[in-house]
Amino acid sequence: MASVTEYLDWIASQGWEWGDRDCLLWLATWAERVTGIDGGAEWRGRYRTAIGCARVMRKSGGFDACIERGAMAAGMVETDKPSPGSVGIVRAMTARGVSDVGGIYTGTRWAVLTGRGVVSGPFEYRRVWSFV
């Protein structure tokens, strides 16, 4: 399995990009590094702005549905407890206030991708998917 730390370092060096490295697709890129399957293929490159992302997610059933579908496509299973490398929906402070974002569990904290880079913290999680 790919190293969570190496991936977080890499994604931080790449920065945020709507439609490729954003709060939804950075999880799919991580899963692809681990499994070889891009669970975000149906959304990747389909939008370039926050408004475009919102439209695509709405048409796809919402944020939770997109992450669930992407995780399942990559062979992940939903679980109650995160393990290192798990992806999840976490509550974090954003430019819009506290909201749901995609996170990767490091083993001790959740990492989230923001427009300013990768931030980690003891964020509360709502849903979690792990590799089998």
Side-chain angles (χ1 to χ4, degrees), residues 2 13 20-21 26 34 40 43 48 52 65 67 87 89-90 92 95 101 103 123 127:
S13 74
D20 188 44
R21 293 178 311 276
W26 86 294
V34 175
W43 304 290
R48 298 193 189 287
I67 292 180
V87 302
I89 300 170
V90 302
V101 297
F123 303 122
R127 295 180 73 186

Side-chain angles (χ1 to χ4, degrees), residues 1-83:
M1 179 157 100
S3 160
V4 174
T5 303
E6 289 172 352
Y7 179 71
L8 295 175
D9 287 345
W10 175 80
I11 200 78
S13 74
Q14 299 302 299
W16 182 282
E17 182 180 336
W18 288 108
D20 188 44
R21 293 178 311 276
D22 53 45
C23 64
L24 172 67
L25 290 172
W26 86 294
L27 303 178
T29 302
W30 164 241
E32 183 177 21
R33 291 258 176 124
V34 175
T35 67
I37 301 167
D38 182 5
E42 72 177 279
W43 304 290
R44 196 173 303 281
R46 288 193 46 211
Y47 54 90
R48 298 193 189 287
T49 65
I51 292 170
C53 179
R55 286 181 184 143
V56 166
M57 281 198 298
R58 187 173 49 251
K59 289 178 183 178
S60 297
F63 189 69
D64 282 35
C66 289
I67 292 180
E68 178 177 24
R69 203 155 64 239
M72 292 175 69
M76 301 179 82
V77 295
E78 193 162 4
T79 182
D80 293 331
K81 186 166 173 58
S83 58

Side-chain angles (χ1 to χ4, degrees), residues 102-115:
I104 297 174
Y105 191 63
T106 67
T108 58
R109 302 167 71 86
W110 285 96
V112 299
L113 181 64
T114 74

